Structures are given as structure tokens and as C-alpha cells.
Amino acid sequence: AFELPFTVKDRARVITASGGVVIANEAWNPGALLRDADAAMYQAKSKGRNRIQIFDAKMQQILLAKVEIANDLRHSEQRGELYLMYQPVYNIDGVTLKSVEALLRWNHPQRGLISPVDFIPVAEDTGMIIPIGVWVLNEALSQMRKWLDEFPGLSDFGIAVNLSTRQLAMPQLAALISAAMTHHRIGADRLTIELTESSLMADLDDSLKVLRELRDLGCKIAIDDFGTGYSSMAYLRDLPATCLKIDRSFVSQILRSERDKRIVAAMVNIANELDMQTVAEGVE
């Protein structure tokens, strides 16, 4: 039925639909039925949309795991379970430490270390990434202040913080970051904001507006996991980015794959032509 076109103002239109299906049994109740159908529908969307997904036991396990993570994550920061690790970024000579990237980690009291792959998407879906992101920013800048006080010779040294799609859509994001830098006495030229291609493309017009505000503050902008998302020349032209981070899936193959080697070389050339820095992920 959805494949059939319909007419609006003398023009043929077609709508696609994503559906979630639950096969009810004797134990079902209306609330659980709607919840599980909703989960199946989102699974259909994540698999490319315009399809039907039937809810099954595996999906139920995934859903319950997400609910448990969301419940435990809600108070993790107040309980001191969240912390940051700092991944170094070295110059190509392998000697000069240029900057660090702040990476969020969660040490659960019962389950131990939980992978960011498991809890970051839940934090984004529930909106908890907003307060957690504010904590990450301030924690990273606080650590940066300690390093600068302890090592005054760190003249050309910066720190990078990741932003998600939800954070990028926050009202007054630039003002919040500016206030944090002022509070911790960190110059904007030391702070790099990292975003993935997919987060940028969620709403490109609004993203451009926010990123220009951040560039006006003096912050640097890095595009993370470059090559795995849209990789559009159009957005490279328009974005006020200062750095391309080439995804490790390309970097790890350059000694074995001539094709990957040429792709990485092309990315580096593009960055050079646009006066952008290049970071190779996965060289460790």
C-alpha cells in the first residue's frame, strides 16, 4: 500500500514506512507490546528504513541491556564512576607531543570497565550526554590547567574534546564553552572540538552556524573518523575545520594495501590544499 503513489495538488507523491512488529503471546500487556514494537521500529530505521522488523528475543536482550545501562549511567558522574583518559597526539617525528584527546571512560562498581561503544549511544539517546558532556569539558580543561601550571614550557600544546550531535544542537553552546575556558584560564587556541562526519551532517546548516561561532572564539575544529561517513567535498569547502583525522581503518592498511595507501595520500593532499592539519588514527 505504501508503494502506491498518491496525489497532492496534481503531483504524485510516494511515502516510505518503517514498521515494528511484535508477535503477542499470553504474557503480553499493552505497555510492553508498545515498547517492544517501538524498539523493533527503530531497529528497522537503523537498518536502512523502508522495511519491517519483527521483535525477537535477541532484540529484547539488547533493549533490556540498554535500560540497565541507562539506569546505572544516570548517577554515575555523582558517584565518581566516570573519568577521563588522555590519548597523545605526536608530531610525525614521533618525539614532539602536540596535544592530547580527552576520552570518556566508565568504571562500573559491579561490571567493571564498560566500553564507550556500549554507553555513549545510550547517553545520546536519553539526553544524558548533555550534562555528561559539560562535565567532560570542565574536567578536561581543569586537567589542562594543572599541566600548564606544572609545566610552563608547554607553549604549543592543546587538548581535544569530543562533541556529539545532541551537544552540537545545544542552545548557547559557544557561550558555555567560552565560560568554561575563562573559568579554567585556558586560551581558545589550545582547545580543539572534535566531531564525526555523521554528527555534522545531522543538521548541516545549524552545525555550520555553531562551528563558525566556535571558530570566532578561536577554538580549533577537527573532523573525526574522516573517510567513514559522508566525506563530501562540499562540506569540506564550507566547514571552518582546521584538522582532518583519518580513520584507523585506512591507516592500519597502508603497509599492506596499495589502494588504501593511495586513499590516505589523497586525504592528506586534500587537507594540505585546504591548510588543514592531518592526524592519522591507529598508528600505535
Side-chain angles (χ1 to χ4, degrees), residues 144-152 185:
M144 186 66 169
R145 182 70 262 158
K146 293 174 184 175
W147 282 330
L148 294 177
D149 291 342
E150 187 174 355
F151 307 104
R185 295 178 290 120

Side-chain angles (χ1 to χ4, degrees), residues 73 83 99 111 126 178 203 240:
L73 186 61
Y83 65 100
S99 63
R111 300 168 60 185
T126 58
S178 177
D203 192 331

Side-chain angles (χ1 to χ4, degrees), residues 5 17-18 29 42 52 54 56 74 80 93 105 112 131 155 157 162 169 183 205-206 211 243 264 273 280:
S18 300
N29 64 71
Y42 278 108
I52 298 296
I54 296 177
D56 57 21
R74 202 166 300 279
D93 61 14
R105 296 292 182 263
S155 57
F157 181 71
N162 293 276
H183 177 74
D205 289 340
D206 284 347
L211 294 184
C243 176
V264 170
E273 290 297 324

Side-chain angles (χ1 to χ4, degrees), residues 241-256:
T242 56
C243 176
L244 286 186
K245 298 187 71 176
I246 301 174
D247 189 71
R248 64 183 302 127
S249 61
F250 296 102
V251 175
S252 63
Q253 297 297 316
I254 58 176
L255 297 181
R256 294 184 288 274

